[in-house]
Amino acid sequence: MRYFIEFAYNGKNFHGFQSQPDASSVQETLEKALTTLFREPIAIVGAGRTDTGVHAKQMFAHFETELELESDYWSHKLNSFLPPSIVIYRIFSVHPDAHARFDATSRTYEYYIHTFKDAFIVDGSWYHSNPLDIQKMNEASAILLEYYDFECFSKVHTDVNTFHCKISEAHWKQKGNQLIFTITADRFLRNMVRAIVGTLVNIGLGKMEVSDLHYIIASKDRGKAGFSVPAHGLYLVNVAYPYIEYRK
């Protein structure tokens, strides 16, 4: 049977989601726990990759086993095998062809910036004390929805076949001393969100004009875009599927 797991993690102590040699990853940690719990080799396929230090408030992965799993019991048991930085919300059966990566119709990320020094959120939000023009940053964010090719925001020497992404939402909001950037797309390129945020921050600082974003995107040149903001302020917050009923 094929199962989905819904989970979250604090990425601070992981070298991203995907397994890699000689580095701790979320995927490896989950697979070891599942293998130990079910007493059979378990491999998982995630909804996507997150880079070193990036967090996920909602992530999905699928795996297969002949065991019949009851969500409440097995999710509780699996949590007991995992470190505090990873939490399992539920395990549920899906149709045999369901795919955690390819079936996802959209993904939503949030990036957090705090503008006043705060000792309690410093590990999950980027401290940036210089004033930012949120109106200009939102004007520039709206421009993103006009384009499909985002090679200028992609990590160079990546192995993707296309740089096309359909962004359906991109905006900033302010809550007290915290700024939150939300962006939704059908897919994302490596380092894309962090490069977009860095470019928008440059616009908010007045180092770039709003209209410069058209030129940057058309250039397809990573060197023309802004810097990549630190990973610890970035969260994957939603992965959407047409056949999943979401927790309330």
Side-chain angles (χ1 to χ4, degrees):
M1 294 183 64
R2 180 161 291 191
Y3 291 90
F4 266 36
I5 51 174
E6 181 184 0
F7 58 101
Y9 55 87
N10 183 321
K12 180 180 179 181
N13 296 320
F14 294 107
H15 290 262
F17 172 79
Q18 190 173 25
S19 294
Q20 51 189 297
D22 304 318
S24 176
S25 70
V26 177
Q27 182 179 13
E28 178 189 28
T29 304
L30 277 170
E31 288 178 343
K32 284 182 177 180
L34 286 163
T35 296
T36 301
L37 179 60
F38 299 151
R39 299 181 180 179
E40 62 176 292
I42 299 291
I44 65 171
V45 176
R49 305 173 182 178
T50 55
D51 292 334
T52 299
V54 176
H55 318 288
K57 293 183 179 181
Q58 183 186 64
M59 174 67 107
F60 290 91
H62 76 251
F63 67 93
E64 293 182 348
T65 179
E66 294 183 1
L67 296 173
E68 293 186 7
L69 306 180
E70 182 182 346
S71 177
D72 290 343
Y73 172 79
W74 287 106
S75 60
H76 175 75
K77 289 290 292 183
L78 182 55
N79 273 317
S80 68
F81 281 78
L82 291 167
S85 53
I86 302 177
V87 57
I88 304 299
Y89 292 126
R90 56 176 173 156
I91 304 173
F92 55 98
S93 61
V94 291
H95 58 86
D97 296 325
H99 198 288
R101 179 183 174 189
F102 298 139
D103 291 354
T105 55
S106 70
R107 296 159 176 85
T108 300
Y109 282 88
E110 290 179 347
Y111 195 87
Y112 289 79
I113 297 175
H114 56 290
T115 57
F116 188 83
K117 190 174 182 180
D118 189 325
F120 300 103
I121 62 173
V122 65
D123 287 337
S125 178
W126 178 41
Y127 174 47
H128 188 279
S129 59
N130 294 331
L132 294 169
D133 190 325
I134 304 302
Q135 181 176 341
K136 285 187 177 180
M137 291 163 69
N138 269 324
E139 290 175 8
S141 297
I143 292 174
L144 296 170
L145 277 64
E146 301 175 16
Y147 291 88
Y148 293 94
D149 190 321
F150 295 101
E151 185 173 356
C152 68
F153 296 124
S154 175
K155 188 172 183 177
V156 295
H157 307 304
T158 188
D159 57 354
V160 299
N161 296 320
T162 176
F163 295 98
H164 285 198
C165 308
K166 174 56 179 174
I167 297 176
S168 57
E169 174 188 26
H171 57 81
W172 291 86
K173 67 178 179 181
Q174 184 162 5
K175 296 177 66 174
N177 292 317
Q178 194 157 50
L179 307 178
I180 304 170
F181 177 64
T182 301
I183 184 167
T184 301
D186 59 346
R187 63 188 292 265
F188 287 94
L189 307 168
R190 289 193 64 188
N191 199 58
M192 178 175 168
V193 179
R194 291 166 59 196
I196 286 175
V197 173
T199 304
L200 296 176
V201 165
N202 279 344
I203 291 172
L205 290 170
K207 294 181 178 180
M208 297 177 176
E209 298 298 326
V210 172
S211 59
D212 289 342
L213 191 56
H214 292 287
Y215 164 73
I216 292 168
I217 296 173
S219 75
K220 302 184 180 183
D221 184 350
R222 178 66 186 90
K224 298 290 192 299
F227 65 103
S228 291
V229 291
H232 68 274
L234 182 59
Y235 298 76
L236 175 62
V237 299
N238 178 259
V239 185
Y241 297 89
Y243 47 76
I244 288 182
E245 182 177 344
Y246 289 87
R247 294 175 300 112
K248 295 181 179 179

